[in-house]
């Protein structure tokens, strides 16, 4: 594995953004920006051996600065929604920016996706670090973090998140990569097959905020325990689907520790992406709000042109005691791992 950095562009206020290319011995590679620890490209072989970019992104810093959607970004301090942007921790009330209807989304107005991180290249990994100051976007305590990327010779991309704080705070990190295993910019991803190891999902209200209820997937369009095309039930007459304008839901993952949680695949290219994580949930988001826009290399993106598998703690966990806690106590070590492993299958192979 080798890592090479070069200038990607400049922010509106003149700061340099660097792109790091991590190449493995097969010539497959991942491009990552220090701006938001953003996964800008993931180029892996299809069943013919041709490198295919399976990650949506932009060619310029300006597009990353100006567009919504969090393409490829590292998200924090708290991924997804916190109801009304309010919470109480140790008896003290905190108020965060409300940037998504009545709720707080993905860390606020300037989340970690908009920060230029310090990069350090170790022999087999790329490590970004950043300290978020006490009061950053309204969150308490100084938070010292590192985000590590590895891309090994088996075409497995590993994301490692570490954090420690000098006071009690909340932490829920994710990555917001939009995958299209047919190749980025080739249109809808609803033909992809998806399998998720989840017997249950968290019910949402009309603003995509969990109600606190954990529902069984049995007999619902949310049953991905056996692989099925994402688009098969996406238009079903189902209140939860309508609330998200498609899939935009947290699935309650079976098991604990680093385990396989989902398999996404394309019949067209044969590319299979196996997701493993230490996290308790995954937000399956079918790019329902990805409005028409330009993408990399002159491509165009629109609604449903990618699928995000955002491994995470459950959204709005601060308001639901039945959800795993997102509180990080002073001095405690936060550590989460997610892997996206890329392989290929032959035509019609199950
Ligand atoms: C959320 C969506 C949101 C998207 C982009 C996802 O994680 O669940 O509701 O539109 O991120 O911001």
């Amino acid at each position: 594995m080798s890592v090479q950095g070069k200038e990607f562009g400049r922010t509106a206020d003149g700061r340099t953004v660097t792109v790091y290319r991590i190449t493995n011995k097969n010539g497959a590679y991942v491009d990552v920006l220090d701006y938001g620890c953003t996964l800008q490209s993931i180029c892996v072989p299809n069943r013919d051996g041709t490198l295919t970019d399976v990650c949506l992104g932009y060619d310029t810093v300006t597009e990353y600065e100006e567009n919504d959607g969090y393409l490829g970004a590292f998200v924090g301090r708290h991924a997804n929604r916190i109801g009304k942007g309010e919470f109480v921790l140790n008896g003290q009330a905190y108020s965060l920016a409300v940037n998504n209807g009545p709720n707080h989304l993905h860390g606020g107005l300037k989340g970690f996706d908009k920060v230029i991180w310090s990069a350090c290249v170790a022999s087999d990994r790329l490590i970004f670090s950043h300290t978020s100051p006490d009061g950053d976007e309204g969150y308490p305590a100084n938070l010292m973090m590192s985000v590590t990327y590895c891309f090994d010779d088996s075409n497995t991309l590993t994301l490692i998140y570490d954090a420690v704080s000098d006071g009690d705070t909340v932490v829920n990190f994710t990555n917001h990569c939009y995958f299209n295993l047919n190749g980025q910019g080739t249109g809808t991803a609803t033909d992809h097959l998806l399998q998720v190891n989840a017997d249950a999902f968290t019910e949402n209200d009309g603003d995509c905020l969990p109600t606190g209820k954990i529902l069984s997937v049995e007999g619902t369009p949310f049953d991905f325990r056996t692989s099925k095309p994402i688009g098969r039930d996406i238009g079903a007459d189902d209140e939860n689907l309508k609330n998200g304008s498609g899939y935009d839901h947290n699935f309650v993952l079976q098991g604990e520790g680093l385990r396989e949680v989902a398999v996404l695949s394309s019949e067209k290219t044969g590319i299979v992406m196996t997701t493993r994580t230490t996290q308790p949930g995954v937000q399956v988001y079918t790019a329902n709000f990805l409005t028409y826009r330009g993408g990399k290399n002159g491509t165009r993106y629109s609604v449903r042109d990618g699928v995000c598998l955002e491994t995470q703690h459950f959204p709005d966990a601060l308001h639901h005691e039945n959800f795993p806690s997102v509180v990080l106590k002073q001095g405690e070590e936060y550590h989460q791992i997610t892997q996206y492993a890329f392989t290929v299958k032959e035509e019609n192979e199950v």
Side-chain angles (χ1 to χ4, degrees):
M1 191 186 111
S2 74
V3 185
Q4 297 283 332
K6 68 168 189 191
E7 184 171 329
F8 180 72
R10 285 183 183 257
T11 57
D13 61 4
R15 288 169 305 139
T16 301
V17 172
T18 303
V19 58
Y20 293 89
R21 175 161 294 186
I22 314 177
T23 310
N24 69 16
K25 77 160 196 258
N26 315 318
Y29 63 87
V30 174
D31 287 332
V32 193
L33 308 180
D34 55 4
Y35 182 84
C37 304
T38 300
L39 286 167
Q40 195 254 352
S41 294
I42 301 175
C43 290
V44 291
N46 66 10
R47 66 162 75 87
D48 303 325
T50 310
L51 285 185
T52 307
D53 186 354
V54 296
C55 156
L56 273 59
Y58 305 114
D59 290 325
T60 65
V61 179
T62 311
E63 289 163 293
Y64 281 104
E65 286 187 293
E66 291 182 354
N67 291 342
D68 64 1
Y70 302 84
L71 272 64
F74 173 73
V75 174
R77 290 191 190 190
H78 192 291
N80 215 283
R81 293 170 178 80
I82 297 176
K84 298 194 167 52
E86 288 169 356
F87 65 93
V88 174
L89 182 64
N90 299 334
Q92 188 165 341
Y94 293 93
S95 199
L96 310 171
V98 162
N99 58 337
N100 185 258
N103 302 314
H104 175 84
L105 178 73
H106 292 330
L109 297 172
K110 190 184 177 202
F112 298 153
D113 56 295
K114 294 186 180 68
V115 166
I116 298 184
W117 292 61
S118 302
C120 150
V121 178
S123 59
D124 68 339
R125 51 195 54 202
L126 172 62
I127 306 165
F128 293 107
S129 52
H130 176 63
T131 296
S132 166
D134 185 13
D136 193 11
E137 293 293 309
Y139 289 98
N142 293 301
L143 185 67
M144 286 65 77
M145 299 166 281
S146 70
V147 175
T148 302
Y149 292 89
C150 310
F151 185 54
D152 70 19
D153 293 335
S154 66
N155 299 333
T156 296
L157 173 64
T158 301
L159 285 51
I160 307 168
Y161 309 148
D162 286 288
V164 66
S165 69
D166 63 359
D168 294 357
T169 189
V170 298
V171 170
N172 184 9
F173 298 154
T174 195
N175 181 278
H176 208 296
C177 195
Y178 292 71
F179 297 100
N180 188 319
L181 304 184
N182 296 334
Q184 70 87 24
T186 60
T188 183
T190 46
D191 61 350
H192 288 35
L193 296 175
L194 177 65
Q195 187 261 321
V196 184
N197 293 337
D199 300 320
F201 68 105
T202 50
E203 182 189 62
N204 282 349
D205 69 10
D207 293 314
C208 277
L209 185 77
T211 61
K213 275 194 198 150
I214 295 182
L215 303 180
S216 167
V217 298
E218 181 83 44
T220 75
F222 294 85
D223 193 347
F224 282 95
R225 289 173 297 182
T226 305
S227 184
K228 67 172 177 180
I230 289 176
R232 181 181 290 172
D233 300 325
I234 205 167
D237 185 14
D238 177 278
E239 203 50 35
N240 257 289
L241 274 178
K242 285 185 195 153
N243 280 345
S245 306
Y247 295 103
D248 189 0
H249 296 79
N250 172 66
F251 285 69
V252 178
L253 296 170
Q254 296 164 5
E256 283 177 16
L258 186 63
R259 73 271 190 223
E260 184 176 312
V261 296
V263 180
L264 182 72
S265 64
S266 156
E267 294 299 295
K268 284 186 184 147
T269 58
I271 298 173
V272 179
M273 185 182 86
T274 303
T275 302
R276 301 184 200 105
T277 192
T278 50
Q279 303 246 41
V282 65
Q283 186 84 8
V284 175
Y285 173 55
T286 46
N288 312 322
F289 308 114
L290 187 70
T291 48
Y292 186 70
R293 65 190 69 190
K296 285 180 289 189
N297 305 321
T299 57
R300 296 266 146 197
Y301 304 147
S302 191
V303 170
R304 307 261 155 85
D305 282 3
V307 54
C308 301
L309 297 177
E310 302 160 59
T311 58
Q312 61 180 7
H313 272 58
F314 305 175
D316 204 30
L318 289 159
H319 296 126
H320 302 290
E321 280 179 3
N322 55 331
F323 291 2
S325 170
V326 290
V327 173
L328 182 71
K329 297 267 185 210
Q330 174 176 6
E332 221 173 56
E333 287 176 18
Y334 170 94
H335 179 69
Q336 298 289 345
I337 303 174
T338 293
Q339 293 185 316
Y340 298 113
F342 297 92
T343 52
V344 284
K345 62 176 180 178
E346 293 312 314
E347 224 151 335
N348 303 320
E349 188 184 319
V350 189

